[in-house]
Amino acid sequence: MARTLAVLMDPIATITPKKDSTLAMLVEAQRRGWQLRYCTQGDLAIRAGEAWARLAPLAVRDDPHDWFSLEDAQWQPLSSVQVVLARKDPPVDPQFVYDTMVLELAGNAGTLIVNDPRGLRDMNEKLYTQSFADCCAPTLVARDRAELRRFVAEHGQVVLKPLDGMGGRGIFRSHHNDPNLNSILETLTVNGRAFALAQKYVPEIAAGDKRILLIDGEPVPYALARIPQGDDFRGNLAAGGRGEGRPLSERDRWIAARVGPELKRRGMIFVGLDVIGDWLTEINVTSPTCIRELDAQFGLNIAGTLFDCIESKLA
C-alpha cells in the first residue's frame, strides 16, 4: 500500500519553484510513490484530543510555470498519514506555536513529524546557537539597551538582530560611534520589551554566509556560501546575496559534528546551519532551504538523501 505524506507549508501557489526546497522534497516523495496531501495553517484542528487536518490531494511537477495541482480537500485525522513535513516559514509567533501543539498530538499517535514539533517550538533559530556557545562569536542577548550599548562599545563593529526574523529582515550592522545606535536598539527591543541579539561583526561575511545542511545530524558535504552584493552586508539570498557552492572546511565539519548529534537526538531531521568564517550564527529548524542550489551546482539529490533517512525511520 502506498504511503501518504502531508505537507504543512505556506500557500504553494506563492512559492518560487526553481528555488523552493519544499517542492524539491515533494517531487522526490512523489517519484518514490508517496501519495501527497497539502495543508496550510488554517487547515489544522483538534477534535476530542486528536490532531486533524483538512488535506487536499496534491500532485507536483518540476516545472517553473505549472508546479502543482490540487484536488478537493477533506478533513481527516493526521494519524492517517505516515509523515508530515512541517515546512511553515517563520515567524514563530503564537499561531506557529499552537501548530506545533497540534502536530505533537499527531506525533504521539504515531505519525513521523519532520521536524519534531517540540524542537520547532523550543529551538529559536538565533537563540539556540547559545547552547553551543563555543562555536559562536561573542554574543549578547538582552532587552536592556544600556547592556547592549556596553557590548557594542566593547566589540566595536557588531550585528544586531531580532530573534524572530528570517531572510535578513531586521538585521543591522552598527558600531559604537553610530549616531543611529540608540534608535536601532529602541526599535529592536521595542523600547526594552523584546530581546535583541548582538554579535561581534565577523568580517569574513564578505566571503559568504555559509549554509550547511544536516540530515539526521550528518552534513551534506557542500555548503552554499551566500555572498553579499553591492553595499549590502547581508548574504541572505532573500536579501540579494549570490549563492556559491563550496566543499565543507575542516572547521565546518567540526561545527557540524559538535551540533549534529544533539539535533539528531531531538528529532530534528533536516536542519540548516549558518556559518560565517569560523563561527556558527544560526541553527535553522523551521524551513531550511538551499537544496536546489546545491543540487544544481554539484549534481546532488539532497531530497533523495532526506527520504532515504525518513523511510529508514518507518521501516
Side-chain angles (χ1 to χ4, degrees):
M1 182 178 295
R3 288 169 167 168
T4 303
L5 176 146
V7 61
L8 170 65
M9 61 185 293
D10 292 301
I12 194 170
T14 67
I15 68 173
T16 303
K18 69 178 182 179
K19 295 182 177 181
D20 196 85
S21 292
T22 304
L23 182 61
M25 296 176 189
L26 294 172
V27 167
E28 175 64 21
Q30 182 175 269
R31 185 188 68 79
R32 292 174 177 233
W34 286 76
Q35 295 180 353
L36 304 183
R37 300 291 184 268
Y38 163 85
C39 66
T40 61
Q41 279 187 300
D43 298 313
L44 295 180
I46 299 174
R47 299 186 183 187
E50 185 176 15
W52 281 62
R54 184 169 48 200
L55 299 176
L58 169 68
V60 291
R61 295 169 289 278
D62 204 358
D63 182 331
H65 306 292
D66 178 28
W67 60 92
F68 75 100
S69 302
L70 289 172
E71 299 179 27
D72 292 339
Q74 294 186 341
W75 286 100
Q76 61 190 89
L78 276 175
S79 59
S80 64
V81 305
Q82 284 71 52
V83 174
V84 174
L85 289 181
R87 294 282 300 175
K88 173 72 181 70
D89 284 345
V92 180
D93 56 14
Q95 297 306 315
F96 187 106
V97 170
Y98 301 149
D99 293 343
T100 67
M101 295 176 180
V102 179
L103 294 175
E104 188 172 356
L105 287 174
N108 292 342
T111 299
L112 177 64
I113 315 296
V114 182
N115 286 320
D116 187 285
R118 291 162 296 187
L120 295 178
R121 187 164 62 240
D122 295 345
M123 296 180 186
N124 177 274
E125 299 187 325
K126 298 170 178 64
L127 200 57
Y128 188 61
T129 61
Q130 294 306 292
S131 296
F132 309 94
D134 54 322
C135 299
C136 303
T139 301
L140 171 69
V141 180
R143 294 183 178 95
D144 186 85
R145 284 168 286 171
E147 187 64 18
L148 289 162
R149 283 194 295 271
R150 280 193 289 272
F151 181 90
V152 176
E154 178 183 357
H155 293 286
Q157 294 275 344
V158 300
V159 171
L160 301 161
K161 60 179 81 171
L163 296 184
D164 60 354
M166 67 167 290
R169 292 195 296 268
I171 298 178
F172 298 88
R173 177 181 172 184
S174 188
H175 54 86
H176 66 286
N177 291 322
D178 185 350
N180 293 309
L181 179 59
N182 283 339
S183 179
I184 292 170
L185 294 178
E186 288 171 5
T187 299
L188 289 179
T189 67
V190 194
N191 290 317
R193 296 192 299 276
F195 274 127
L197 183 146
Q199 197 159 60
K200 182 178 180 180
Y201 176 70
V202 181
E204 287 85 354
I205 182 60
D209 179 356
K210 291 175 285 187
R211 166 61 55 82
I212 300 170
L213 296 177
L214 303 184
I215 296 175
D216 211 23
E218 293 296 326
V220 172
Y222 300 94
L224 189 74
R226 286 121 359 127
I227 302 170
Q229 300 296 293
D231 295 330
D232 200 328
F233 76 95
R234 299 170 299 170
N236 310 74
L237 298 181
R242 176 176 61 85
E244 179 182 298
R246 295 174 185 166
L248 297 189
S249 69
E250 183 177 344
R251 174 71 176 186
D252 295 336
R253 291 184 180 278
W254 179 83
I255 291 173
R258 175 77 176 83
V259 177
E262 179 63 11
L263 294 173
K264 178 177 180 176
R265 186 187 72 81
R266 297 188 62 175
M268 311 311 287
I269 294 173
F270 187 70
V271 176
L273 307 182
D274 288 350
V275 174
I276 300 175
D278 287 338
W279 305 110
L280 176 68
T281 61
E282 294 191 16
I283 299 175
N284 296 273
V285 298
T286 54
S287 55
T289 62
C290 297
I291 283 179
R292 293 287 200 173
E293 294 85 353
L294 288 170
D295 279 357
Q297 292 188 38
F298 297 105
L300 305 175
N301 180 8
I302 295 170
T305 304
L306 173 62
F307 271 89
D308 286 345
C309 173
I310 289 172
E311 290 176 349
S312 73
K313 293 180 181 294
L314 300 175

